[in-house]
Amino acid sequence: MTGWVAIAGLGPGNDALVTPEVTNAVAQATDIIGYIPYVARIAPREGLTLHATDNRVELDRALHALELASQGARVVVVSSGDPGVFAMASAVFEAVEAHPEHTDCDIRVLPGITAMLAAAAAAGAPLGHDFCAINLSDNLKPWDVIEHRLRMAARGDFAMAFYNPRSKSRPHGFEKTLDVLREECEPERLITFARAVSKADQTLNTVTLAEATPEMADMQTVVILGNSATKRIGRYVYTPRSAS
Amino acid sequence: MTGWVAIAGLGPGNDALVTPEVTNAVAQATDIIGYIPYVARIAPREGLTLHATDNRVELDRALHALELASQGARVVVVSSGDPGVFAMASAVFEAVEAHPEHTDCDIRVLPGITAMLAAAAAAGAPLGHDFCAINLSDNLKPWDVIEHRLRMAARGDFAMAFYNPRSKSRPHGFEKTLDVLREECEPERLITFARAVSKADQTLNTVTLAEATPEMADMQTVVILGNSATKRIGRYVYTPRSAS
């Protein structure tokens, strides 16, 4: 039997946002690998082994998937959101690069609804024009790179979506982000804090950049900054399709 | 009976990428509105009226949806990909702004798998680090804005996904895009042309920026430019999670 690895996006939390492609892959799997809360979303069944691991062991998890597949297992690596956006897909390819004996492994990436697009949909259409996605975690890149990207994105008048804005280990990162954005953008710029998107306890909070505080974000929050044309209409926030 | 408008993303083409949320909304709809090829993806049934219109009439289509909903209809406006990414969601909110009598309409945006994320998944993980999404159509913005954004995104070392790279009415736009990118990026930079993503006739073509030609793209193509660290590993293209 030939093994494979499918790196699958479970979407932001609501099962109605899981694609049939992902559901089918899970149904065919012998093994599920992933971070504890994502593996917890998979229903146990006979013949399916669940391997739940803690966060920050992405490369170990990826290598484990490749090794199981080389022994004939059908492995689904579960990510939240989309696996290609600040999630497990790059980690698996990093593991392949470090362990070239797995280069011929049958690896598929199954896209999912990434948090920023679910958040944008809940708010209206704040990403309806050109935009950037930026991971604010400085675990894997220095703050200088983040700051430079924020400035370039602001000067290009991109809307921006921020992943991982804040954690206990980085209490000041998002404060610095807001400081940079306030230097580059006008105080009336709209910013939306979307927490627990698509889940029962989802909250949305849109304020101006002048009103924004670091406490409005945590690690369950995706933050969307509009571009200079983003506006409110009724209870919605949207960015027009045109630019001048 | 209370009407509503759901702006739904059908994903890039393969029905296995349509979320259950969208499938459920279509099942409850009385009316489907959209561009001809997207409406053609909806199975006809009794009690469901299909309103297929040509391209470039987004605002008329949006207003039609709002008017039907105000008369009690349950309207699904279908987009390809994700409705919030260069698709119908912003057009509907623009129509609400122009016709404020519809401000209280029950409007929901239902996210979908947008083309760049399906293309990235098919190629590996080229958007695995910070990235930008840029619409290269100059129907709704001047070329100067596009050029400035390309330069800012390149100087921020973002990966980039390009929508609508080329059309019959704009045969030279993508050539100019490649010229700007060659001024800003090294010739070895990887660029992936993904055509008809997720469909039976999907093609993927990854070359260096030096090798890229305008003819590699058409309006069915999404183009993904890597960042300075994007690499090939076996048949995959991926961007590492870290930056220095």
Side-chain angles (χ1 to χ4, degrees):
Chain A
M1 188 157 63
T2 311
W4 46 255
V5 173
I7 314 159
L10 296 179
N14 185 328
D15 286 341
L17 296 179
V18 180
T19 67
E21 182 179 63
V22 168
T23 301
N24 292 342
V26 168
Q28 293 168 22
T30 57
D31 296 83
I32 304 286
I33 291 183
Y35 178 40
I36 298 162
Y38 309 146
V39 173
R41 293 184 57 191
I42 306 298
R45 59 174 161 77
E46 206 175 306
L48 182 69
T49 306
L50 304 177
H51 309 265
T53 47
D54 203 354
N55 213 346
R56 300 207 182 191
V57 294
E58 287 88 354
L59 285 178
D60 296 346
R61 196 186 286 155
L63 184 59
H64 187 200
L66 294 166
E67 287 171 346
L68 285 173
S70 74
Q71 296 155 19
R74 301 185 296 276
V75 185
V76 175
V77 177
V78 287
S79 267
S80 103
D82 180 281
V85 179
F86 312 129
M88 280 300 295
S90 282
V92 171
F93 294 114
E94 285 173 37
V96 172
E97 191 176 6
H99 301 271
E101 68 272 23
H102 295 297
T103 303
D104 292 328
C105 180
D106 176 5
I107 301 172
R108 288 172 298 146
V109 181
L110 310 183
I113 303 292
T114 187
M116 68 177 168
L117 297 184
L127 301 178
H129 197 65
D130 302 333
F131 66 92
C132 296
I134 301 177
N135 187 348
L136 291 181
S137 168
D138 57 5
N139 289 337
L140 292 164
K141 65 188 163 189
W143 166 253
D144 288 353
V145 170
I146 299 175
E147 178 176 340
H148 177 65
R149 286 188 180 152
L150 292 170
R151 292 193 192 278
M152 293 298 102
R155 290 175 197 175
D157 199 17
F158 286 95
M160 299 177 217
F162 302 122
Y163 285 72
N164 304 317
R166 202 152 178 262
S167 73
K168 282 180 189 166
S169 62
R170 297 178 288 109
H172 302 300
F174 192 58
E175 190 170 357
K176 290 195 288 182
T177 296
L178 289 175
D179 289 343
V180 171
L181 295 174
R182 287 187 183 112
E183 284 176 32
E184 299 286 343
C185 307
E186 71 288 357
E188 299 78 17
R189 183 72 62 97
L190 293 177
I191 185 167
T192 297
F193 295 83
R195 191 177 184 283
V197 174
S198 86
K199 299 179 189 169
D201 57 339
Q202 170 180 303
T203 59
L204 286 176
N205 180 24
T206 299
V207 298
T208 66
L209 192 50
E211 295 163 339
T213 65
E215 294 70 32
M216 291 177 179
D218 66 12
M219 283 304 271
Q220 283 205 63
T221 308
V222 170
V223 182
I224 297 179
L225 181 78
N227 73 12
S228 61
T230 303
K231 56 181 87 174
R232 289 176 195 264
I233 178 86
R235 62 188 177 281
Y236 308 105
V237 178
Y238 91 97
T239 301
R241 298 167 300 153
S242 57
S244 53
Chain B
M1 188 157 64
T2 312
W4 46 254
V5 173
I7 314 160
L10 296 179
N14 185 329
D15 285 342
L17 296 178
V18 180
T19 67
E21 181 179 64
V22 167
T23 301
N24 292 342
V26 168
Q28 293 168 21
T30 57
D31 296 82
I32 304 287
I33 290 183
Y35 178 39
I36 297 162
Y38 309 146
V39 173
R41 292 184 55 193
I42 305 298
R45 60 176 160 77
E46 206 175 306
L48 182 69
T49 307
L50 303 177
H51 309 266
T53 48
D54 203 354
N55 212 345
R56 301 208 181 188
V57 293
E58 287 87 354
L59 285 178
D60 295 347
R61 197 186 286 155
L63 184 58
H64 188 200
L66 295 166
E67 287 171 347
L68 285 173
S70 73
Q71 296 156 17
R74 301 185 296 275
V75 184
V76 174
V77 177
V78 287
S79 267
S80 104
D82 180 280
V85 179
F86 312 130
M88 280 301 295
S90 282
V92 171
F93 294 113
E94 284 173 40
V96 172
E97 190 175 5
H99 301 272
E101 68 271 24
H102 294 298
T103 303
D104 292 328
C105 180
D106 175 5
I107 301 171
R108 287 171 298 147
V109 180
L110 310 184
I113 303 293
T114 186
M116 69 178 167
L117 297 184
L127 301 178
H129 197 65
D130 302 333
F131 66 92
C132 297
I134 302 177
N135 186 348
L136 292 180
S137 168
D138 58 4
N139 289 337
L140 292 164
K141 66 188 162 190
W143 166 254
D144 288 353
V145 169
I146 298 175
E147 178 176 341
H148 177 65
R149 286 190 179 150
L150 292 170
R151 292 192 192 279
M152 291 300 102
R155 291 175 196 175
D157 198 18
F158 286 95
M160 300 178 217
F162 303 121
Y163 285 72
N164 304 317
R166 201 152 178 264
S167 74
K168 281 181 189 164
S169 62
R170 296 178 288 110
H172 302 299
F174 191 59
E175 189 170 358
K176 290 194 287 182
T177 296
L178 288 175
D179 289 343
V180 171
L181 295 174
R182 287 188 184 113
E183 285 176 32
E184 298 286 342
C185 307
E186 71 288 357
E188 299 78 18
R189 183 71 63 97
L190 293 177
I191 184 167
T192 298
F193 295 83
R195 189 175 185 285
V197 174
S198 87
K199 300 179 188 170
D201 57 340
Q202 169 180 304
T203 59
L204 287 177
N205 180 25
T206 299
V207 298
T208 65
L209 192 50
E211 294 163 338
T213 65
E215 294 69 32
M216 292 177 179
D218 65 12
M219 283 304 271
Q220 283 205 63
T221 308
V222 170
V223 182
I224 297 179
L225 182 78
N227 73 12
S228 61
T230 303
K231 58 181 85 173
R232 289 176 194 263
I233 177 87
R235 60 187 177 283
Y236 309 104
V237 178
Y238 91 98
T239 301
R241 298 167 300 151
S242 56
S244 52

Coordinates of all heavy atoms in Angstrom, one line a residue, chain B residues 64-138:
Chain B
H64 N -29.6 44.5 -8.1 CA -30.7 43.6 -8.4 C -30.9 42.6 -7.2 O -32.0 42.4 -6.8 CB -30.3 42.8 -9.7 CG -31.4 41.9 -10.2 ND1 -31.2 40.8 -11.0 CD2 -32.8 41.9 -9.9 CE1 -32.3 40.2 -11.3 NE2 -33.3 40.8 -10.6
A65 N -29.8 42.2 -6.7 CA -29.9 41.3 -5.5 C -30.5 42.0 -4.3 O -31.4 41.4 -3.6 CB -28.5 40.8 -5.1
L66 N -30.2 43.2 -4.1 CA -30.7 44.0 -2.9 C -32.2 44.2 -3.1 O -33.0 44.1 -2.2 CB -30.0 45.3 -2.8 CG -28.5 45.2 -2.4 CD1 -27.8 46.6 -2.6 CD2 -28.4 44.8 -0.9
E67 N -32.6 44.5 -4.4 CA -34.0 44.8 -4.7 C -34.9 43.5 -4.5 O -35.9 43.5 -3.9 CB -34.2 45.4 -6.1 CG -33.7 46.8 -6.1 CD -33.6 47.4 -7.6 OE1 -33.7 46.6 -8.5 OE2 -33.5 48.6 -7.7
L68 N -34.3 42.4 -5.0 CA -35.1 41.1 -4.8 C -35.2 40.8 -3.3 O -36.3 40.4 -2.8 CB -34.3 40.0 -5.5 CG -34.4 40.0 -7.0 CD1 -33.5 38.9 -7.6 CD2 -35.9 39.7 -7.5
A69 N -34.2 41.0 -2.5 CA -34.2 40.7 -1.1 C -35.2 41.6 -0.4 O -36.0 41.2 0.5 CB -32.8 40.9 -0.5
S70 N -35.3 42.9 -0.8 CA -36.3 43.8 -0.2 C -37.7 43.3 -0.4 O -38.6 43.7 0.3 CB -36.1 45.2 -0.7 OG -36.5 45.3 -2.0
Q71 N -37.9 42.5 -1.5 CA -39.2 42.0 -1.8 C -39.4 40.6 -1.1 O -40.4 39.9 -1.4 CB -39.4 41.9 -3.3 CG -39.4 43.2 -4.0 CD -39.0 43.2 -5.5 OE1 -39.1 42.1 -6.1 NE2 -38.6 44.3 -6.0
G72 N -38.5 40.1 -0.3 CA -38.6 38.9 0.4 C -37.9 37.7 -0.2 O -37.9 36.6 0.4
A73 N -37.1 37.9 -1.2 CA -36.4 36.8 -1.8 C -35.1 36.5 -1.0 O -34.6 37.3 -0.3 CB -35.9 37.2 -3.3
R74 N -34.7 35.2 -1.1 CA -33.5 34.7 -0.5 C -32.5 34.6 -1.6 O -32.5 33.6 -2.4 CB -33.7 33.4 0.3 CG -34.8 33.5 1.4 CD -35.0 32.3 2.2 NE -35.4 31.1 1.4 CZ -36.7 30.9 1.1 NH1 -37.7 31.7 1.6 NH2 -37.0 29.8 0.4
V75 N -31.6 35.5 -1.7 CA -30.7 35.7 -2.8 C -29.3 35.3 -2.5 O -28.7 35.8 -1.6 CB -30.7 37.2 -3.3 CG1 -29.9 37.3 -4.6 CG2 -32.1 37.7 -3.5
V76 N -28.7 34.4 -3.3 CA -27.3 34.1 -3.2 C -26.6 34.7 -4.5 O -26.9 34.4 -5.6 CB -27.0 32.6 -3.2 CG1 -25.5 32.3 -3.2 CG2 -27.6 32.0 -1.9
V77 N -25.7 35.6 -4.2 CA -24.9 36.2 -5.2 C -23.6 35.3 -5.3 O -22.9 35.2 -4.3 CB -24.5 37.6 -4.9 CG1 -23.5 38.2 -6.0 CG2 -25.7 38.5 -4.8
V78 N -23.4 34.7 -6.4 CA -22.3 33.7 -6.5 C -21.1 34.4 -7.1 O -21.2 35.1 -8.1 CB -22.7 32.4 -7.3 CG1 -23.6 31.6 -6.5 CG2 -23.3 32.8 -8.7
S79 N -19.9 34.2 -6.5 CA -18.6 34.6 -6.9 C -17.8 33.4 -7.1 O -18.0 32.4 -6.5 CB -17.9 35.5 -5.9 OG -18.2 36.8 -6.0
S80 N -16.8 33.5 -8.0 CA -15.8 32.4 -7.9 C -14.8 32.8 -6.8 O -14.8 33.9 -6.3 CB -15.1 32.3 -9.3 OG -13.8 32.9 -9.3
G81 N -14.0 31.8 -6.4 CA -13.1 32.0 -5.3 C -13.7 32.4 -4.0 O -14.7 31.8 -3.5
D82 N -13.2 33.5 -3.4 CA -13.7 34.1 -2.2 C -14.4 35.4 -2.6 O -13.8 36.2 -3.3 CB -12.6 34.3 -1.2 CG -13.1 35.0 0.1 OD1 -13.3 36.2 0.1 OD2 -13.3 34.2 1.1
P83 N -15.6 35.7 -2.1 CA -16.3 36.9 -2.6 C -15.6 38.2 -2.1 O -15.9 39.2 -2.7 CB -17.7 36.7 -2.0 CG -17.6 35.8 -0.9 CD -16.5 34.9 -1.2
G84 N -14.8 38.1 -1.1 CA -14.2 39.3 -0.5 C -12.8 39.6 -1.2 O -12.2 40.6 -0.8
V85 N -12.4 38.8 -2.1 CA -11.1 39.0 -2.7 C -11.3 39.3 -4.2 O -11.5 38.3 -5.0 CB -10.1 37.8 -2.6 CG1 -8.8 38.0 -3.3 CG2 -9.9 37.5 -1.1
F86 N -11.3 40.5 -4.6 CA -11.5 41.0 -6.0 C -12.7 40.3 -6.6 O -12.7 39.8 -7.7 CB -10.2 40.6 -6.8 CG -8.9 41.0 -6.1 CD1 -7.9 40.2 -6.0 CD2 -8.8 42.3 -5.6 CE1 -6.7 40.6 -5.3 CE2 -7.6 42.7 -5.0 CZ -6.6 41.8 -4.8
A87 N -13.8 40.3 -5.9 CA -15.0 39.7 -6.3 C -16.2 40.5 -5.9 O -16.2 41.7 -5.8 CB -15.0 38.2 -5.9
M88 N -17.4 39.8 -5.7 CA -18.6 40.6 -5.6 C -18.9 41.3 -4.3 O -19.8 42.1 -4.2 CB -19.8 39.6 -5.9 CG -20.0 39.4 -7.4 SD -20.4 40.9 -8.4 CE -22.0 41.4 -7.6
A89 N -18.2 40.9 -3.2 CA -18.6 41.5 -1.9 C -18.5 43.0 -1.9 O -19.5 43.7 -1.5 CB -17.8 40.9 -0.7
S90 N -17.4 43.5 -2.3 CA -17.3 45.0 -2.3 C -18.3 45.6 -3.2 O -18.8 46.7 -2.9 CB -15.8 45.4 -2.7 OG -14.9 45.2 -1.6
A91 N -18.6 45.0 -4.3 CA -19.6 45.6 -5.2 C -20.9 45.7 -4.6 O -21.7 46.7 -4.8 CB -19.7 44.7 -6.5
V92 N -21.3 44.7 -3.8 CA -22.6 44.8 -3.1 C -22.6 45.9 -2.1 O -23.6 46.7 -2.0 CB -23.0 43.4 -2.4 CG1 -24.2 43.6 -1.5 CG2 -23.2 42.4 -3.5
F93 N -21.5 46.1 -1.3 CA -21.5 47.2 -0.4 C -21.4 48.6 -1.1 O -22.0 49.6 -0.6 CB -20.4 47.0 0.6 CG -20.6 45.8 1.5 CD1 -19.8 44.7 1.4 CD2 -21.7 45.8 2.4 CE1 -20.0 43.6 2.2 CE2 -21.9 44.6 3.2 CZ -21.0 43.5 3.1
E94 N -20.8 48.6 -2.2 CA -20.8 49.9 -3.0 C -22.3 50.2 -3.4 O -22.7 51.3 -3.4 CB -19.9 49.7 -4.3 CG -18.4 49.8 -4.0 CD -17.6 49.5 -5.2 OE1 -17.9 49.9 -6.3 OE2 -16.5 48.9 -5.0
A95 N -23.0 49.1 -3.8 CA -24.4 49.4 -4.2 C -25.3 49.8 -3.0 O -26.1 50.7 -3.1 CB -25.0 48.1 -4.8
V96 N -25.0 49.3 -1.8 CA -25.7 49.7 -0.6 C -25.4 51.2 -0.3 O -26.3 52.0 0.0 CB -25.3 48.8 0.6 CG1 -25.9 49.4 1.9 CG2 -25.7 47.4 0.4
E97 N -24.1 51.6 -0.5 CA -23.8 52.9 -0.3 C -24.5 53.9 -1.2 O -25.0 55.0 -0.8 CB -22.2 53.1 -0.4 CG -21.7 54.4 0.0 CD -20.2 54.5 0.0 OE1 -19.6 53.6 -0.5 OE2 -19.7 55.6 0.4
A98 N -24.6 53.5 -2.5 CA -25.3 54.3 -3.5 C -26.8 54.3 -3.3 O -27.5 55.2 -3.8 CB -24.9 53.8 -4.9
H99 N -27.3 53.3 -2.6 CA -28.8 53.1 -2.5 C -29.0 52.8 -1.0 O -29.4 51.7 -0.6 CB -29.3 52.0 -3.4 CG -29.0 52.2 -4.8 ND1 -29.9 52.9 -5.6 CD2 -28.0 51.8 -5.6 CE1 -29.4 52.9 -6.9 NE2 -28.2 52.3 -6.8
P100 N -28.9 53.9 -0.2 CA -29.0 53.7 1.3 C -30.3 53.1 1.8 O -30.3 52.6 3.0 CB -28.7 55.1 1.9 CG -28.7 56.0 0.7 CD -28.7 55.3 -0.6
E101 N -31.3 53.0 1.0 CA -32.6 52.4 1.4 C -32.3 50.9 1.7 O -33.1 50.2 2.3 CB -33.7 52.6 0.4 CG -33.5 51.9 -0.9 CD -32.7 52.7 -2.0 OE1 -32.0 53.6 -1.6 OE2 -32.9 52.5 -3.2
H102 N -31.2 50.4 1.2 CA -30.9 48.9 1.5 C -29.9 48.7 2.6 O -29.4 47.6 2.8 CB -30.3 48.3 0.2 CG -31.3 48.3 -1.0 ND1 -32.4 47.5 -0.9 CD2 -31.3 48.9 -2.2 CE1 -33.1 47.7 -2.0 NE2 -32.4 48.5 -2.8
T103 N -29.6 49.8 3.4 CA -28.6 49.7 4.5 C -29.0 48.6 5.5 O -28.1 47.9 6.1 CB -28.4 51.0 5.2 OG1 -28.0 52.0 4.2 CG2 -27.3 50.9 6.2
D104 N -30.3 48.4 5.7 CA -30.7 47.4 6.7 C -30.9 46.0 6.2 O -31.4 45.1 6.9 CB -31.9 47.9 7.5 CG -31.6 49.1 8.3 OD1 -30.5 49.2 8.8 OD2 -32.5 50.0 8.4
C105 N -30.6 45.8 4.9 CA -30.7 44.5 4.3 C -29.9 43.5 5.1 O -28.8 43.8 5.5 CB -30.3 44.6 2.8 SG -30.4 43.0 2.0
D106 N -30.4 42.3 5.2 CA -29.6 41.2 5.9 C -28.6 40.7 4.9 O -29.0 39.9 4.0 CB -30.6 40.1 6.3 CG -29.9 38.9 6.9 OD1 -28.7 38.9 7.1 OD2 -30.6 38.0 7.2
I107 N -27.4 41.1 5.0 CA -26.3 40.7 4.0 C -25.3 39.9 4.8 O -24.8 40.3 5.8 CB -25.6 41.9 3.4 CG1 -26.6 42.8 2.7 CG2 -24.5 41.5 2.5 CD1 -26.0 44.2 2.3
R108 N -25.0 38.7 4.2 CA -23.9 37.9 4.8 C -22.9 37.6 3.7 O -23.3 37.4 2.5 CB -24.4 36.5 5.3 CG -25.2 36.6 6.6 CD -25.9 35.3 6.9 NE -26.8 34.9 5.8 CZ -27.0 33.7 5.4 NH1 -26.4 32.6 5.9 NH2 -27.9 33.4 4.4
V109 N -21.6 37.6 4.0 CA -20.6 37.2 3.1 C -20.1 35.8 3.5 O -19.8 35.6 4.7 CB -19.4 38.2 3.1 CG1 -18.4 37.7 2.1 CG2 -19.9 39.6 2.8
L110 N -20.2 34.8 2.6 CA -19.8 33.5 2.9 C -18.5 33.2 2.2 O -18.4 33.1 1.0 CB -20.9 32.5 2.4 CG -22.3 32.8 2.8 CD1 -23.2 31.7 2.3 CD2 -22.4 33.0 4.3
P111 N -17.4 33.0 3.0 CA -16.1 32.9 2.4 C -15.9 31.7 1.6 O -16.6 30.7 1.7 CB -15.1 32.9 3.6 CG -16.0 32.4 4.8 CD -17.4 32.9 4.5
G112 N -14.9 31.7 0.7 CA -14.6 30.6 -0.2 C -13.1 30.4 -0.4 O -12.4 31.3 0.1
I113 N -12.7 29.4 -1.1 CA -11.3 29.2 -1.3 C -10.9 30.1 -2.5 O -11.3 29.9 -3.6 CB -11.0 27.7 -1.7 CG1 -11.5 26.7 -0.6 CG2 -9.5 27.5 -2.0 CD1 -10.7 26.8 0.7
T114 N -10.1 31.1 -2.2 CA -9.7 32.0 -3.2 C -8.6 31.4 -4.1 O -7.8 30.6 -3.7 CB -9.3 33.4 -2.6 OG1 -9.1 34.3 -3.7 CG2 -8.1 33.3 -1.8
A115 N -8.5 31.9 -5.4 CA -7.7 31.2 -6.3 C -6.2 31.2 -5.9 O -5.5 30.2 -6.1 CB -7.8 32.0 -7.7
M116 N -5.7 32.2 -5.3 CA -4.3 32.2 -4.9 C -4.0 31.1 -3.9 O -2.9 30.6 -3.9 CB -3.8 33.6 -4.4 CG -4.4 34.0 -3.0 SD -3.7 35.6 -2.4 CE -4.8 35.8 -1.1
L117 N -4.9 30.8 -3.0 CA -4.6 29.8 -2.0 C -4.7 28.4 -2.6 O -4.0 27.5 -2.2 CB -5.5 30.0 -0.8 CG -5.3 31.3 0.0 CD1 -6.1 31.4 1.2 CD2 -3.8 31.5 0.3
A118 N -5.7 28.2 -3.5 CA -5.7 26.9 -4.2 C -4.5 26.7 -5.1 O -3.9 25.6 -5.2 CB -7.0 26.9 -5.1
A119 N -4.0 27.8 -5.7 CA -2.8 27.7 -6.6 C -1.6 27.5 -5.7 O -0.7 26.6 -6.1 CB -2.6 29.1 -7.4
A120 N -1.5 28.1 -4.6 CA -0.4 27.9 -3.7 C -0.4 26.5 -3.2 O 0.7 25.8 -3.2 CB -0.4 28.9 -2.5
A121 N -1.5 26.0 -2.9 CA -1.6 24.6 -2.4 C -1.2 23.6 -3.5 O -0.5 22.6 -3.2 CB -3.0 24.3 -1.9
A122 N -1.6 23.9 -4.7 CA -1.2 23.0 -5.8 C 0.3 23.0 -6.1 O 0.9 22.0 -6.5 CB -2.0 23.4 -7.1
A123 N 0.9 24.2 -5.8 CA 2.4 24.3 -6.1 C 3.2 23.8 -4.9 O 4.4 23.5 -5.1 CB 2.7 25.8 -6.4
G124 N 2.7 23.9 -3.7 CA 3.4 23.5 -2.5 C 3.0 24.5 -1.4 O 1.9 24.4 -0.9
A125 N 3.9 25.5 -1.1 CA 3.5 26.5 -0.1 C 4.3 27.8 -0.4 O 5.0 28.3 0.5 CB 3.8 26.0 1.3
P126 N 4.1 28.4 -1.6 CA 4.9 29.6 -1.9 C 4.4 30.8 -1.1 O 5.1 31.8 -1.1 CB 4.6 29.8 -3.4 CG 3.4 29.1 -3.7 CD 3.3 27.9 -2.8
L127 N 3.2 30.7 -0.5 CA 2.7 31.9 0.3 C 2.8 31.6 1.8 O 2.1 32.1 2.6 CB 1.3 32.2 -0.1 CG 1.0 32.6 -1.6 CD1 -0.5 32.8 -1.8 CD2 1.9 33.8 -2.0
G128 N 3.8 30.7 2.1 CA 4.0 30.3 3.5 C 4.5 31.4 4.4 O 4.7 31.1 5.6
H129 N 4.9 32.5 3.9 CA 5.4 33.6 4.7 C 4.6 34.9 4.3 O 3.7 34.8 3.6 CB 6.9 33.8 4.5 CG 7.6 34.6 5.5 ND1 7.7 34.2 6.9 CD2 8.2 35.8 5.5 CE1 8.3 35.1 7.6 NE2 8.7 36.1 6.7
D130 N 5.0 36.0 4.8 CA 4.2 37.2 4.5 C 4.0 37.4 3.0 O 5.0 37.3 2.3 CB 4.9 38.5 5.1 CG 5.1 38.3 6.6 OD1 4.3 37.7 7.3 OD2 6.1 38.9 7.1
F131 N 2.8 37.8 2.6 CA 2.6 38.0 1.2 C 1.5 39.1 0.9 O 0.8 39.5 1.8 CB 2.1 36.6 0.6 CG 0.8 36.1 1.1 CD1 -0.4 36.5 0.4 CD2 0.7 35.4 2.2 CE1 -1.6 36.0 0.8 CE2 -0.5 34.9 2.7 CZ -1.7 35.2 2.0
C132 N 1.5 39.5 -0.3 CA 0.5 40.5 -0.8 C -0.4 39.8 -1.9 O 0.1 39.0 -2.7 CB 1.2 41.7 -1.5 SG 2.2 42.6 -0.4
A133 N -1.6 40.3 -2.0 CA -2.5 40.0 -3.1 C -2.8 41.2 -3.9 O -3.2 42.3 -3.3 CB -3.8 39.4 -2.6
I134 N -2.5 41.2 -5.2 CA -2.6 42.4 -6.0 C -3.4 42.1 -7.3 O -3.1 41.1 -8.0 CB -1.2 42.9 -6.4 CG1 -0.3 43.3 -5.2 CG2 -1.3 44.2 -7.3 CD1 1.1 43.7 -5.5
N135 N -4.4 42.9 -7.5 CA -5.2 42.8 -8.7 C -4.5 43.6 -9.8 O -4.4 44.8 -9.7 CB -6.6 43.3 -8.5 CG -7.6 43.1 -9.6 OD1 -7.1 42.7 -10.7 ND2 -8.9 43.2 -9.4
L136 N -4.1 43.0 -10.9 CA -3.4 43.7 -11.9 C -4.3 44.3 -13.0 O -3.8 45.0 -13.9 CB -2.4 42.7 -12.6 CG -1.2 42.3 -11.8 CD1 -0.3 41.3 -12.6 CD2 -0.4 43.4 -11.2
S137 N -5.6 44.1 -12.8 CA -6.5 44.8 -13.8 C -6.4 46.3 -13.5 O -6.5 46.8 -12.4 CB -7.9 44.3 -13.6 OG -8.8 45.1 -14.3
D138 N -6.3 47.1 -14.6 CA -6.4 48.5 -14.5 C -7.7 49.1 -14.9 O -7.8 50.3 -15.2 CB -5.2 49.2 -15.2 CG -5.2 48.9 -16.7 OD1 -6.1 48.2 -17.2 OD2 -4.3 49.4 -17.4

